[in-house]
Amino acid sequence: MSDLTVKLVNLGLPKTGTTTLAHALNEGGWRAADHKVRRVHCRTPGLGGTSIARQLYNGYFETGDPFAHLDGLYDALTEISMLNPSASLWPQCDYTMIKAMRLARPDMLFVATWRPSAEISDSMRRWGNLGQDRLPGGAIPGLPQGYGANDDQRIRWIEGHYAMLRDLFGEDPRFLELPVGAADARQRLSAHLRIDLPWWGRLNKNPETGTTGKKTKAGTARGAA
């Protein structure tokens, strides 16, 4: 392992620009984890190939420090949820986990990537079976099993999540709610992290129609003011 330490966690929900955030940070010289511990970064059995969410909970329950297994691998964690038939893990929605992160590392920076709730809900609906099957089938903080199959329910959950973060962090300068579509999103993030970010754009964009998502580049901008 290297001397990297986790210094930024994104508490935003999926389909809010998490892949864009990861790419921007990587372009800025940081190593960002988007969803999984990639085997190119770690081949240790039980770590490489596993989800970031799983390792955050492993670290917390084994040592009290959510970052115990991720320090040395990454500077930033940009997508930290996990939802599949065997597990539903959502550290960004878990008050206990967020508190543990803040206690383990008082100088930790947080960001919450944000888009309008209706846009997030629609993107979730169109991203494979996320909106129609996986969310209603999972047990998610704020969205119990059986809920989330329609826009009204997803929007209520999405808005509740960001309201919880605002209540929790208040005016804490270590927290930034980041509207990823804002004209000055890159500048806001750069100022929050105190690093130069030469790229900002949009990745992992849903197709305009259909139900499956593909990773594509769109609306990229490098070095733009």
Side-chain angles (χ1 to χ4, degrees):
M1 286 192 180
S2 71
D3 59 356
L4 298 178
T5 58
V6 178
K7 39 194 170 283
L8 175 72
V9 176
N10 180 27
L11 301 175
L13 294 172
K15 307 311 300 173
T16 61
T18 61
T19 304
T20 291
L21 175 63
H23 188 74
L25 294 174
N26 286 328
E27 289 289 300
W30 281 19
R31 181 188 287 177
D34 187 49
H35 180 58
K36 285 189 175 184
V37 178
R38 303 299 173 183
R39 287 190 173 90
V40 69
H41 299 143
C42 178
R43 295 186 177 274
T44 303
L47 184 55
T50 64
S51 73
I52 295 299
R54 177 68 68 189
Q55 294 307 325
L56 285 169
Y57 279 106
N58 283 350
Y60 173 65
F61 283 108
E62 292 170 8
T63 72
D65 181 356
F67 308 110
H69 300 307
L70 297 169
D71 278 337
L73 295 174
Y74 296 106
D75 295 294
L77 311 177
T78 61
E79 166 57 275
I80 62 173
S81 60
M82 170 186 178
L83 180 61
N84 61 40
S86 64
S88 178
L89 303 175
W90 295 75
Q92 72 267 57
C93 302
D94 185 339
Y95 171 81
T96 299
M97 179 59 71
I98 297 173
K99 183 175 180 179
M101 292 179 186
R102 299 175 82 183
L103 290 174
R105 197 149 303 167
D107 58 349
M108 176 65 65
L109 295 175
F110 294 90
V111 65
T113 46
W114 179 91
R115 295 167 61 199
S117 298
E119 292 183 14
I120 300 173
S121 177
D122 184 60
S123 188
M124 288 177 171
R125 177 187 62 80
R126 293 183 291 117
W127 189 256
N129 62 350
L130 178 60
Q132 298 300 312
D133 300 318
R134 291 166 60 203
L135 288 177
I140 301 168
L143 193 70
Q145 189 172 25
Y147 297 90
N150 62 57
D151 275 320
D152 287 345
Q153 293 176 0
R154 287 193 299 270
I155 288 171
R156 192 177 301 276
W157 167 59
I158 292 163
E159 291 179 346
H161 173 67
Y162 287 93
M164 180 269 290
L165 293 179
R166 294 172 194 131
D167 288 345
L168 181 59
F169 285 95
E171 299 300 319
D172 190 333
R174 293 163 295 186
F175 173 77
L176 172 69
E177 183 175 306
L178 181 68
V180 294
D184 63 346
R186 180 171 64 91
Q187 289 86 345
R188 293 192 207 184
L189 182 61
S190 180
H192 185 57
L193 303 180
R194 298 183 180 179
I195 65 171
D196 181 52
L197 296 173
W199 180 93
W200 190 257
R202 188 174 180 187
L203 295 181
N204 228 13
K205 180 184 178 183
N206 269 337
E208 293 304 318
T209 60
T211 59
T212 59
K214 297 179 181 179
K215 182 178 288 189
T216 59
K217 286 189 178 181
T220 58
R222 183 181 295 273

